[in-house]
Amino acid sequence: MDLRKLRKKMRKVQDEPRYEHTLSVAYTAANLAAVYGEDVDKALRAGMLHDCAKCLPDHDKLELCKKYHIRVTDMERRNPSLVHAELGACLAKDTYEETDQDVLNAISSHTTGRPGMSLLEKIVFVADYIEPGRTKAAHLREIRKLAFEDIDQAVIRILQDTLEYLSKAKSDIHPGTQLTLNYYLEQKG
C-alpha cells in the first residue's frame, strides 16, 4: 500500500498521541534501516502499521483474537493491550493489505521481541522504544546512541530495561521478553 494512503488510514484509526507515536516510529525505523542497509520502504511500512491494533477497544481486541485464532493467555486477557502486536500483524495483512512476511513479523514482535529476529524486526523493536516522543525510559539517551552503533546490543539493553521496569513496578512480565533476552545474551556470549 502507498505510504500516503497508509498514513491517512492510520490517522483515522488512531488517536492523536498514538498517531504521532506511529509517525515517529516509522521515521526512526527508516533512519535505522538506512544505517544498517535494510529496505527503508519496508521499515516505513512496518513502523506505520506496528500499532494498527493498539487503539481498538479491549473487547474488540479479544474478539478479533478469536477470529484470527490467536491464543490469549490469562495475563493477556487481564491486559488486552498485550495482544496488539500479534493482532496488528493479522490486521496489517487483512485490512491494510501488507503482504511482506518480514514486515508482518516486525509488527508481531515489536513489543516483546523474539529469538532470531530479522534485521527489520530488530529495527522496528528498537525504533518503538527510542522514537523521539519517548522521554521516560531508563537509559534512553545511551540506548538511542547505541541503536545506531550496534542494533543487537540496543535490543539487549531495551529488554533488560523493560524487565527491570516491569519487575520494579510489580507488573506482569510477558515470558517472551525474558526468552528473547536470554537468546540474545547467548548470541553475544
Side-chain angles (χ1 to χ4, degrees):
M1 177 177 289
D2 173 83
L3 195 59
R4 201 174 5 214
K5 288 179 184 174
L6 197 50
R7 272 198 312 265
K8 286 180 183 177
K9 287 182 183 262
M10 287 305 104
R11 179 165 237 144
K12 288 179 183 176
V13 298
Q14 294 178 332
D15 59 31
E16 191 62 28
R18 183 61 45 193
Y19 179 69
E20 291 298 322
H21 166 73
T22 292
L23 290 177
S24 289
V25 170
Y27 296 135
T28 301
N31 283 310
L32 287 166
V35 167
Y36 289 105
E38 180 57 86
D39 185 311
V40 172
D41 183 62
K42 284 172 47 168
L44 282 166
R45 291 195 329 264
M48 286 301 300
L49 288 165
H50 85 285
D51 272 352
C52 67
K54 185 81 171 186
C55 290
L56 293 171
D58 287 348
H59 178 267
D60 292 354
K61 284 184 187 110
L62 295 174
E63 286 301 309
L64 284 167
C65 283
K66 288 179 192 173
K67 174 185 174 183
Y68 289 112
H69 308 289
I70 297 171
R71 190 177 74 77
V72 178
T73 66
D74 289 339
M75 178 180 22
E76 291 164 334
R77 207 171 310 289
R78 286 191 307 273
N79 186 359
S81 181
L82 294 173
V83 302
H84 84 275
E86 192 173 353
L87 178 58
C90 295
L91 293 179
K93 183 176 183 179
D94 283 0
T95 304
Y96 302 105
E97 302 170 358
E98 180 56 58
T99 59
D100 188 291
Q101 191 58 52
D102 201 18
V103 171
L104 297 172
N105 289 344
I107 296 164
S108 184
S109 65
H110 83 269
T111 55
T112 62
R114 72 176 180 88
M117 286 188 286
S118 70
L119 178 57
L120 181 64
E121 288 176 274
K122 293 174 195 175
I123 285 171
V124 175
F125 177 82
V126 171
D128 186 40
Y129 195 84
I130 69 165
E131 62 92 352
R134 299 271 196 205
T135 58
K136 296 179 181 168
H139 310 108
L140 192 53
R141 189 173 182 185
E142 175 190 335
I143 293 171
R144 282 183 172 138
K145 183 177 186 309
L146 191 58
F148 289 90
E149 297 169 352
D150 183 340
I151 195 86
D152 289 330
Q153 195 58 44
V155 167
I156 289 169
R157 287 304 311 268
I158 290 166
L159 291 163
Q160 288 171 330
D161 281 4
T162 299
L163 288 167
E164 183 179 322
Y165 170 80
L166 292 172
S167 181
K168 283 182 181 175
K170 301 205 183 320
S171 295
D172 287 334
I173 295 175
H174 193 286
T177 307
Q178 186 66 58
L179 185 70
T180 303
L181 176 59
N182 293 346
Y183 174 86
Y184 284 101
L185 287 174
E186 278 183 25
Q187 296 302 304
K188 281 290 192 186

